[in-house]
Amino acid sequence: MNAASSAAERYAADVLIKIAYVGICHSDIHNARDDWSPGTYPMVPGHEIAGIVTEVGSAVTTFKPGDRVGVGCFVDSCGACDACRSGEEQFCNHKTMTYNSKDGDGNITYGGYSTHIVVREPYVLRIPDTLSPESAAPLPCAGITTYSPLRHYRPGPGRRVAVIGMGGLGHMAVQYAHAMGADVTVISQTRAKEADGRRFGASDYRAMSEPDTLKALRGSFDLIINTVSADLDITALLHTLRLDGTLVFVGLPVAPQAFQVSALTSRRRSIAGSNIGGIRETQEMLDFSAAHGITAQVEVITADEVTEAYDRVVESAVRYRFVIDAATI
Ligand code: NAP
Ligand code: ZN
């Protein structure tokens, strides 16, 4: 086989996507500002991508030019481990993240703050026709990260769910938990977003800034989705759970978190974490969103507004996701 034909075979499963919109996830800020670990530079963040297929490799069967597609946090995985075989590629030890990562050839990956991206067919998502591209862009991260733990713990009718922090992830969590039939409470820093929270489906809204907020909620919830990356009083949060309740971390605080163990033992409570979702479940989330009319509420910005947008995300001043119009890149 000559070099040209081996390259053609190798890239036969590739899909070339013209990016239309890309969301700004708080993880982009953690990465760009080296909050977690030193990044690789130059870095092109962006893992909440919506666009249009412009070209496909010869082996691609499920997408064609013109299709509306999305890309999330990873663009490849080993395909052979237990996690990959069970469709939970987000737990594959050898997955390739969409940016700040190395692909199978050892090349650095660059993300969605860009005009185009090439992704192998199995890692491309289909965006349902009824979702607008700008409000669908955040779903492959903010959507799946909150949908996945809700699907896992299945809090249906009669169950009470608390969502801590109503930012990009939090405003999706409220909508999904409500659509799944749960009774939803938002616990925010202040009441500034209360009207929005109720519009997204919350039946109750509490502010940490008010005295004894968590004390008044003791024994209330079956499930807590914590989207906050700041340090919170984990012991007090655990006490708001009922018997057998679970506190799920999706927010990623940088510092180790401490809590009183008796807050677990006294009501057989659990602490858990959840990490984005697999491709199959991410597609399910997109279809569920379309079926229930759920989208991200976004503020569309131009590429030269990104730095200011990062500051506004950190100040919890975005309603509720910034999305970059890729035509301005
Ligand atoms: P975001 O839009 O900034 O939302 C976070 C929310 O946390 C804010 O809107 C705010 O809500 C609350 N908050 C902020 N500072 C706080 C403080 N000092 N004390 C208490 N609450 C505070 O961020 P995001 O994009 O939703 O991401 C949230 C976290 O999830 C980040 O750590 C991100 O890296 C992580 N993440 C994890 C995964 C995963 O797979 N596990 C995936 C994506 C993102 P209120 O204004 O309502 O208080
Ligand atoms: Zn993200």
Side-chain angles (χ1 to χ4, degrees):
M1 190 187 294
N2 64 33
S5 67
S6 92
E9 196 169 291
R10 180 170 196 153
Y11 303 122
D14 281 354
V15 177
L16 174 61
I17 300 163
K18 181 173 173 15
I19 298 171
Y21 295 95
V22 56
I24 294 180
C25 177
H26 206 124
S27 300
D28 297 346
I29 302 172
H30 289 309
N31 277 312
R33 296 186 173 171
D34 288 353
D35 287 345
W36 291 327
S37 56
T40 307
Y41 298 94
M43 184 191 295
V44 180
H47 58 209
E48 295 188 340
I49 298 167
I52 302 281
V53 174
T54 55
E55 217 178 311
V56 296
S58 58
V60 172
T61 56
T62 48
F63 296 101
K64 60 179 187 323
D67 284 354
R68 307 165 84 242
V69 293
V71 180
C73 297
F74 57 91
V75 290
D76 207 356
S77 65
C78 81
C81 69
D82 287 349
C84 286
R85 283 209 306 260
S86 60
E88 297 202 294
E89 305 91 348
Q90 74 272 30
F91 301 121
C92 171
N93 287 333
H94 302 289
K95 65 186 170 299
T96 302
M97 304 309 286
T98 306
Y99 68 89
N100 200 25
S101 182
K102 279 194 180 158
D103 69 14
D105 298 332
N107 297 316
I108 306 292
T109 55
Y110 297 109
Y113 296 11
S114 183
T115 56
H116 294 79
I117 191 167
V118 177
V119 180
R120 288 183 53 226
E121 181 180 20
Y123 302 87
V124 179
L125 303 154
R126 188 173 293 283
I127 295 183
D129 288 342
T130 55
L131 299 179
S132 75
E134 63 271 32
S135 53
L139 301 184
C141 176
I144 187 59
T145 300
T146 50
Y147 180 86
S148 183
L150 288 165
R151 282 285 278 134
H152 187 78
Y153 292 98
R154 297 187 174 275
R159 312 293 269 178
R160 293 190 66 188
V161 174
V163 176
I164 319 291
M166 204 174 75
L169 266 55
H171 90 293
M172 298 308 307
V174 176
Q175 296 182 74
Y176 291 130
H178 174 66
M180 290 175 191
D183 183 77
V184 186
T185 298
V186 173
I187 304 177
S188 184
Q189 293 168 94
T190 68
R191 288 194 180 269
K193 306 174 191 169
E194 178 165 3
D196 289 340
R198 291 185 185 275
R199 181 165 52 82
F200 293 138
S203 65
D204 196 3
Y205 200 100
R206 306 290 175 111
M208 298 261 207
S209 55
E210 294 169 5
D212 297 330
T213 292
L214 294 183
K215 208 166 156 194
L217 291 168
R218 283 172 83 101
S220 295
F221 305 116
D222 300 289
L223 184 68
I224 299 173
I225 306 288
N226 179 17
T227 74
V228 175
S229 51
D231 301 334
L232 299 178
D233 182 345
I234 303 303
T235 301
L237 278 180
L238 286 170
H239 279 296
T240 68
L241 289 169
R242 288 173 169 164
L243 177 67
D244 287 327
T246 304
L247 165 60
V248 183
F249 277 83
V250 290
L252 290 161
V254 177
Q257 303 293 294
F259 61 90
Q260 193 61 253
V261 170
S262 59
L264 292 179
T265 55
S266 61
R267 294 285 186 280
R268 202 166 49 204
R269 298 170 175 126
S270 306
I271 290 189
S274 191
N275 180 36
I276 43 176
I279 294 294
R280 186 174 59 216
E281 194 177 49
T282 306
Q283 187 62 55
E284 179 190 306
M285 171 278 305
L286 286 166
D287 297 339
F288 182 94
S289 301
H292 290 83
I294 294 173
T295 56
Q297 183 175 321
V298 300
E299 295 188 46
V300 177
I301 60 166
T302 56
D304 58 6
E305 294 174 313
V306 168
T307 303
E308 185 193 332
Y310 273 25
D311 292 338
R312 282 190 51 206
V313 172
V314 171
E315 291 159 14
S316 308
V318 51
R319 301 290 188 270
Y320 282 87
R321 204 49 143 190
F322 284 118
V323 168
I324 305 165
D325 178 351
T328 67
I329 291 174

